[in-house]
């Protein structure tokens, strides 16, 4: 079963803050939390399956998902 974990982080700290089995519900929570915190925190949604991190991430900040922006920046 896949579990989606949400962490918030700044330049120094990384904090677990939410998880669920529905990726869109976790993404919505990330958007909600990142709207409240502005640019102070970035939120990373991690995909876990059978207790293992799958290195499938989505990133959120300032009330929007910025995953595609990050991918474009590295291409």
């Amino acid at each position: 079963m896949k579990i989606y974990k949400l962490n918030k982080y700044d330049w120094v700290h990384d904090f677990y803050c939410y998880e669920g089995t529905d990726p869109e519900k976790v993404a919505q929570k990330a958007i909600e939390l990142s709207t409240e915190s502005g640019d102070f925190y970035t939120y990373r949604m991690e995909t876990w399956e059978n207790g293992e991190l799958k290195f499938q991430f989505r990133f959120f900040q300032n009330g929007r998902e910025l995953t595609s922006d990050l991918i474009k920046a590295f291409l």
Side-chain angles (χ1 to χ4, degrees):
M1 171 195 266
K2 287 186 181 179
I3 296 176
Y4 302 91
K5 296 184 180 185
L6 188 61
N7 292 289
K8 68 179 182 178
Y9 62 95
D10 57 20
W11 290 103
V12 180
H13 302 96
D14 195 338
F15 305 95
Y16 164 82
C17 57
Y18 189 78
E19 74 178 51
T21 56
D22 180 352
E24 293 313 309
K25 186 174 180 181
V26 177
Q28 186 57 43
K29 184 68 172 180
I31 289 170
E32 175 187 317
L33 292 172
S34 69
T35 299
E36 294 170 4
S37 67
D39 64 357
F40 189 74
Y41 287 110
T42 301
Y43 292 80
R44 180 185 66 242
M45 186 172 86
E46 305 170 343
T47 303
W48 290 74
E49 190 169 14
N50 299 323
E52 295 181 10
L53 179 60
K54 293 298 179 183
F55 297 100
Q56 298 169 353
F57 304 119
R58 291 172 67 182
F59 296 89
F60 304 84
Q61 191 175 42
N62 287 323
R64 71 180 195 88
E65 183 169 356
L66 56 113
T67 307
S68 61
D69 295 343
L70 291 172
I71 292 169
K72 288 177 189 174
F74 288 103
L75 296 178

